[in-house]
Amino acid sequence: ITQHTTLILMLGMLQPVFFVLILAIILSLWLAHRLAKRIVEPLNTLNLDEPLENENAYEEISPLLTRIEKQHRQINSQLNALKRRQDEFSAVTGNMSEGLILLNEQGKILSINRAAAQLFNADGSCIGQDIMTIERSISMQQLIHTALSGRHDEALMEIKGRQYQINASPIVSDDKVSGVVILAFDITEKALSEQKRREFSANVSHELKTPLHSIMGSAELIENGLIKKEDMPRFIGHIRSEASRLVALIEDIIRLSQLDENGEELTREEVNLLALAKEAKEALHTQAAERNISVEVQGMDISIYSVRRLLYEIIYNLCDNAIKYNRDNGQVNIFVTQDDTETILSVQDTGIGIPEEHQSRVFERFYRVDKSHSKETGGTGLGLSIVKHAALYLGAEIDLQSQVGKGTTIRVHFPK
């Protein structure tokens, strides 16, 4: 009975003990949570942007906050330096006339400047995309492949009707290709200049060779005594004529070369355009009289601030052409007029005219509409080219109107 009573008493005590234990655990958890929250709260409310301004922080973490502040200053300094470099890079590349594209090792676009974006019709959305999204040509693919293999390469490409030289160079870091730099240079003007230079050299060689061969042939016949005495004046006259043509050609080439160089600023002065036109008329009087061509100078007594020598070249060559390509008993009229914005020099003839398909090319060097007629009149093919270059130097514009069989009118517009 006693044993049973003790067991029952122990079992009866378990229930309140268990209840007290549960209560103690709950109370401990609540107190631990409150205490942990109170301990952690200063840490959770730390201002890491301004570490040294945390007044309620524990003294034990002060060295950590000081270290964070120091790292903040270093990071901000590095970010400012990177931003300055980025701004400088953007300013330089943004104002480049050449196109610049930076690619990573996968051929994705890291950076593209304004010139390249305009060239390839791209915008900022292409950053991070493959280069092939803006240029899919075989030439570009080969350039990038060569650059990613560690070698420089370049190619010529025609884009939007202009010639571009595309250079691709690898970016090497730690002996490994980490990207590609692509540069696009507009070489249209250079290519055209080179083409014109080759054409000019070929034309000069041909134009010089023709009179020289004629002179050498006549001189050889005279030297070998194959010319009859009564024919001698004719052959000597032919030599003199070809030599004169050769001298005129060389003089025109020299004038063009001087105009092309534009290295020296020519002296400008007040020039009476009407008086200068009359001066050119007098210089060409004999040439016009031989074919009974009437040359008239009319218009306003106007002076413009310009280069006298170049103005004379323009008037003389226009009148010279108007006489050479005129009909016998024809007419050449020179007009000088002025309005509110410009002074206009007009040279009108009653000559053979220029077919429409040739009108855009008559100002090219050595270009002749009728080569046989040009050589008969002693033309070098450079007169209108000299006019064009002189007008460009003076900032003037040229307007040509012509009808076959009725004549030609060329106007030079000088800004007021």
Side-chain angles (χ1 to χ4, degrees):
I1 295 174
T2 303
Q3 291 178 350
H4 285 289
T5 303
T6 304
L7 181 62
I8 291 171
L9 287 173
M10 290 182 65
L11 290 173
M13 291 175 63
L14 283 176
Q15 184 174 3
V17 169
F18 182 76
F19 178 76
V20 170
L21 181 63
I22 295 297
L23 185 62
I25 291 173
I26 292 173
L27 184 61
S28 299
L29 289 174
W30 179 74
L31 290 174
H33 175 72
R34 278 196 70 181
L35 183 61
K37 184 177 180 181
R38 182 177 295 178
I39 293 172
V40 173
E41 185 175 4
L43 298 178
N44 288 335
T45 58
L46 285 175
N47 182 4
L48 296 180
D49 292 330
E50 300 291 342
L52 299 182
E53 294 184 3
N54 292 284
E55 297 178 355
N56 299 325
Y58 298 119
E59 185 178 349
E60 290 80 2
I61 66 172
S62 293
L64 175 62
L65 295 176
T66 303
R67 184 66 178 270
I68 292 175
E69 172 67 18
K70 183 179 179 180
Q71 289 182 341
H72 274 189
R73 290 197 300 267
Q74 291 177 346
I75 292 172
N76 288 334
S77 176
Q78 291 172 353
L79 287 175
N80 289 334
L82 288 174
K83 187 176 184 305
R84 284 195 303 271
R85 292 181 182 177
Q86 179 66 33
D87 292 342
E88 291 171 0
F89 178 79
S90 299
V92 172
T93 59
N95 292 307
M96 288 172 58
S97 59
E98 299 82 8
L100 173 66
I101 303 176
L102 299 181
L103 309 178
N104 63 11
E105 62 272 18
Q106 284 85 37
K108 296 186 182 301
I109 301 172
L110 299 178
S111 176
I112 181 169
N113 72 345
R114 185 185 307 137
Q118 292 175 350
L119 178 62
F120 296 108
N121 295 323
D123 53 31
S125 64
C126 70
I127 301 296
Q129 297 184 12
D130 195 278
I131 182 65
M132 292 303 136
T133 59
I134 63 172
E135 178 55 46
R136 305 180 61 85
S137 66
I138 299 298
S139 299
M140 182 64 79
Q141 294 181 39
Q142 292 174 344
L143 283 175
I144 296 171
H145 181 268
T146 302
L148 288 175
S149 66
R151 302 191 310 275
H152 171 82
D153 198 7
E154 60 184 44
L156 296 178
M157 296 175 59
E158 184 174 339
I159 306 174
K160 297 180 179 179
R162 298 184 68 83
Q163 289 289 330
Y164 286 86
Q165 178 180 319
I166 312 295
N167 292 355
S169 301
I171 302 173
V172 180
S173 177
D174 297 328
D175 297 328
K176 182 181 178 182
V177 176
S178 59
V180 177
V181 177
I182 298 175
L183 277 172
F185 300 91
D186 188 345
I187 60 169
T188 306
E189 302 302 328
K190 180 181 177 182
L192 288 175
S193 297
E194 182 63 22
Q195 180 183 351
K196 288 181 179 179
R197 186 193 63 79
R198 289 195 299 266
E199 291 177 354
F200 182 70
S201 299
N203 286 329
V204 166
S205 300
H206 175 74
E207 295 294 335
L208 291 176
K209 184 170 63 175
T210 302
L212 284 174
H213 274 290
S214 181
I215 292 171
M216 288 175 62
S218 298
E220 188 176 348
L221 290 174
I222 294 173
E223 182 183 21
N224 294 328
L226 299 177
I227 305 298
K228 295 179 181 180
K229 187 175 181 180
E230 59 270 20
D231 293 332
M232 190 69 71
R234 181 167 60 87
F235 276 85
I236 293 175
H238 178 69
I239 292 174
R240 183 193 60 78
S241 174
E242 291 296 327
S244 297
R245 180 181 163 207
L246 194 60
V247 169
L249 177 63
I250 293 171
E251 288 177 348
D252 283 350
I253 292 172
I254 292 173
R255 289 193 190 97
L256 271 178
S257 298
Q258 291 171 342
L259 291 171
D260 278 340
E261 289 174 2
N262 279 345
E264 179 183 356
E265 182 67 26
L266 299 177
T267 303
R268 293 177 182 260
E269 58 184 308
E270 289 291 334
V271 183
N272 189 302
L273 206 55
L274 192 67
L276 201 62
K278 292 178 179 178
E279 186 179 327
K281 170 190 172 182
E282 292 301 320
L284 293 166
H285 174 74
T286 303
Q287 182 178 330
E290 288 177 354
R291 300 179 56 197
N292 197 28
I293 295 174
S294 173
V295 180
E296 297 293 336
V297 179
Q298 305 174 44
M300 304 167 64
D301 191 14
I302 299 168
S303 292
I304 63 173
Y305 189 71
S306 189
V307 181
R308 180 183 179 84
R309 181 167 67 85
L310 295 186
L311 286 175
Y312 184 79
E313 293 280 359
I314 291 173
I315 299 171
Y316 182 90
N317 280 286
L318 288 178
C319 293
D320 184 44
N321 259 36
I323 293 170
K324 284 178 180 176
Y325 298 98
N326 213 321
R327 303 180 185 280
D328 292 343
N329 304 312
Q331 180 80 24
V332 174
N333 294 311
I334 305 171
F335 299 96
V336 178
T337 58
Q338 189 178 69
D339 58 23
D340 293 337
T341 60
E342 61 186 3
T343 300
I344 304 171
L345 169 73
S346 301
V347 178
Q348 182 181 30
D349 65 58
T350 57
I352 60 177
I354 303 171
E356 186 175 353
E357 64 271 19
H358 296 284
Q359 291 180 13
S360 62
R361 300 194 60 189
V362 292
F363 292 96
E364 295 179 12
R365 299 175 185 186
F366 296 109
Y367 189 83
R368 296 186 177 96
V369 177
D370 185 349
K371 295 184 179 181
S372 60
H373 184 75
S374 296
K375 294 189 177 181
E376 286 176 6
T377 58
T380 63
L382 294 173
L384 289 181
S385 185
I386 291 173
V387 171
K388 173 188 172 183
H389 283 71
L392 285 174
Y393 185 91
L394 298 177
E397 295 183 358
I398 301 175
D399 171 36
L400 182 146
Q401 294 178 345
S402 184
Q403 289 185 340
V404 176
K406 294 185 177 180
T408 301
T409 300
I410 297 180
R411 297 181 182 88
V412 184
H413 302 261
F414 299 96
K416 196 170 181 181

